[in-house]
Amino acid sequence: MTTIVLGGGLIGVTTAYYLARAGHEVIVLERNEGAGEETSFQNGALLAPGHSHSWAAPGAVGMLLKSFFEKSSPFRFRPSLDPQLWRWGLKFLGNCTDARFRANTLRTFRCMHQGLAELRALSADTGISYDAGDKGILYLFRTTESFEQRSGDWNLLREHGLKLEASDPDRCVEIEPALAAVKDRIGGGFFSPEETAGDAFLFTQRLAEHCADLGVRFEYSTSITALETNAGTVSAVHTDKGRYTGDRYLVTLGPEAARLCRPAGVDLPIWPAKGYTATIPIESQHRPPAVGVIEEDNLISIANLGDRMRLGGKAEFVGYDKSYTNRDFNSIFSVARDLFPDMGDFTRPRLWACLRPVSAGGPPILGETPVANLFLNVGHGAAGWTEACATSRAVADIMSGRRPE
């Protein structure tokens, strides 16, 4: 059975691995020159089930409206006449209730919690390393008020299996001594000792090499243009290099999935959110944090990848625009410098912006579609790195006629 995987990023390569292991003949189509060169290239790096909270929350609308007037807001929304945005937006609003927030958060948490376990199992099975920093993650709040207001969100995850420690400022400094100089600017935090960081691009590239050894065929520099359907099934994929035919087709195209699938009759509630990351080198004189940190008041992530720090933040709903300027990183650098002024060489950043495929409810969209031989592994939002191995194994199981764990 030949399966064609549309997209050679982290999700596509990981699913190709599980499919090949299950005995499928797999072809991966990717428009870039190699695997993982878009959203997976320089993501936030933290593998953080503690950040499972759905963006579709009761206060989300107010936060987006507030972003129109606050330039430093971690969220930004640009109105558009694109009907895809309005379809997504209406479904997003429908998920902004307490009940839907709880349900979507727990669904996402299951994917992320299992995803981290599957990643570690895959790494042990294959020997693939990815500059993991297994020191845990500290979810840090700058004021006592914000710590107390948000504590319920983390208590929900703790009740469902996340190992988590509520920490006062003194304990935060014990967990990460590099915070000692700013202890008076910390309101508290939650520490998850079993979470980690890692380089998603490095993992994707190494897994693609392993997949090739398993017989997976990668067609790089191949841009997908359309799905050809006939009598309720996909009969071919059209690309700039010609038609590709198989028995089954799997879409792992992130934010591009909605535009490709709609003409085939599959309307996906996905809209891109642009995120920004910067990588700065660490040298012998620097004092970087060993623990992963997410500064919750401004939603800035900080990850130690050994010889470099990865900083990330912001979520801009601005369509498919991936452009950026140096100014777009000001808020990220401001928070990072304030907490850890000696973490690395801020004068030599490598900047990056990418589009993250946000589903209207938060959880990824997986498995079968109304088109008989078309399958999905899409809509992971900012959680793709943490969810990838769990959702990919689950979709490979579905496509192989097995019930996923």
Side-chain angles (χ1 to χ4, degrees):
M1 178 176 292
T2 300
T3 297
I4 298 182
V5 177
L6 284 65
L10 168 66
I11 303 298
V13 171
T14 308
T15 319
Y17 164 75
Y18 288 108
L19 287 168
R21 204 175 68 169
H24 293 243
E25 179 183 345
V26 182
I27 302 171
V28 179
L29 307 181
E30 168 56 43
R31 66 184 176 186
N32 291 289
E33 295 179 357
E37 295 187 354
E38 292 198 25
T39 302
S40 314
F41 176 70
Q42 186 175 285
N43 74 347
L46 293 179
L47 292 143
H51 238 224
S52 299
H53 312 106
S54 174
W55 290 2
V61 177
M63 187 177 295
L64 287 174
L65 291 174
K66 192 177 179 182
S67 73
F68 285 111
F69 307 100
E70 291 187 1
K71 291 184 179 180
S72 61
S73 172
F75 293 96
R76 186 159 70 96
F77 178 78
R78 180 192 298 166
S80 167
L81 296 177
D82 190 328
Q84 180 188 334
L85 169 61
W86 295 105
R87 285 191 294 266
W88 174 87
L90 288 173
K91 292 184 178 180
F92 181 88
L93 290 174
N95 280 285
C96 291
T97 66
D98 288 324
R100 294 307 305 155
F101 170 78
R102 178 184 175 88
N104 286 326
T105 293
L106 292 178
R107 288 179 61 204
T108 301
F109 173 67
R110 286 192 292 273
C111 290
M112 295 180 78
H113 192 257
Q114 184 67 16
L116 184 51
E118 292 287 353
L119 172 62
R120 286 172 168 150
L122 187 155
S123 178
D125 288 344
T126 61
I128 291 173
S129 60
Y130 45 89
D131 290 349
D134 292 325
K135 302 293 185 180
I137 294 177
L138 180 61
Y139 300 91
L140 193 69
F141 297 84
R142 306 304 292 275
T143 68
T144 304
E145 291 75 17
S146 61
F147 175 55
E148 292 176 348
Q149 288 170 2
R150 296 285 308 284
S151 62
D153 293 345
W154 273 267
N155 288 335
L156 173 64
L157 301 180
R158 181 161 50 187
E159 291 167 2
H160 286 80
L162 181 66
K163 189 174 181 181
L164 204 63
E165 175 191 346
S167 308
D168 63 16
D170 288 329
R171 177 59 180 147
C172 289
V173 173
E174 288 180 12
I175 293 165
E176 180 44 72
L179 288 167
V182 296
K183 188 177 77 170
D184 61 338
R185 285 174 265 166
I186 297 172
F190 292 96
F191 178 54
S192 181
E194 297 179 346
E195 297 181 355
T196 184
D199 190 324
F201 177 62
L202 187 62
F203 172 81
T204 304
Q205 292 253 299
R206 289 175 174 174
L207 185 59
E209 293 172 1
H210 184 78
C211 285
D213 291 339
L214 294 177
V216 176
R217 183 173 126 211
F218 288 87
E219 297 287 351
Y220 293 121
S221 301
T222 302
S223 295
I224 298 161
T225 56
L227 294 173
E228 179 184 319
T229 58
N230 182 32
T233 63
V234 177
S235 50
V237 180
H238 289 261
T239 77
D240 61 348
K241 301 291 178 61
R243 293 168 77 251
Y244 287 83
T245 60
D247 300 297
R248 294 186 174 187
Y249 301 81
L250 172 66
V251 177
T252 67
L253 288 171
E256 301 290 341
R259 296 201 287 196
L260 179 76
C261 289
R262 186 169 300 112
V266 180
D267 192 7
L268 298 175
I270 291 173
W271 188 250
K274 182 162 64 171
Y276 298 83
T277 61
T279 303
I280 62 173
I282 301 171
E283 297 176 350
S284 58
Q285 72 272 25
H286 294 129
R287 296 180 59 250
V291 171
V293 174
I294 300 181
E295 198 267 36
E296 290 293 332
D297 293 64
N298 297 284
L299 294 177
I300 303 300
S301 64
I302 299 169
N304 189 322
L305 296 175
D307 62 351
R308 61 207 184 280
M309 296 298 300
R310 177 70 50 77
L311 316 174
K314 304 175 71 172
E316 297 186 344
F317 295 88
V318 294
Y320 290 85
D321 174 20
K322 291 189 285 187
S323 65
Y324 60 86
T325 67
N326 290 350
R327 292 192 307 274
D328 292 317
F329 296 83
N330 287 347
S331 60
I332 295 173
F333 285 128
S334 176
V335 170
R337 285 178 182 272
D338 184 49
L339 290 174
F340 306 107
D342 299 320
M343 71 161 67
D345 188 350
F346 286 98
T347 67
R348 292 192 291 145
R350 186 178 68 194
L351 307 179
W352 183 253
C354 66
L355 301 179
R356 299 169 293 189
V358 179
S359 73
I365 302 168
L366 311 173
E368 298 173 337
T369 73
V371 180
N373 60 343
L374 181 67
F375 298 81
L376 303 171
N377 193 358
V378 297
H380 299 76
W385 180 206
T386 313
E387 295 176 336
C389 290
T391 65
S392 297
R393 181 178 173 185
V395 170
D397 283 343
I398 291 168
M399 297 180 70
S400 302
R402 296 192 298 267
R403 180 180 175 84
E405 289 184 11

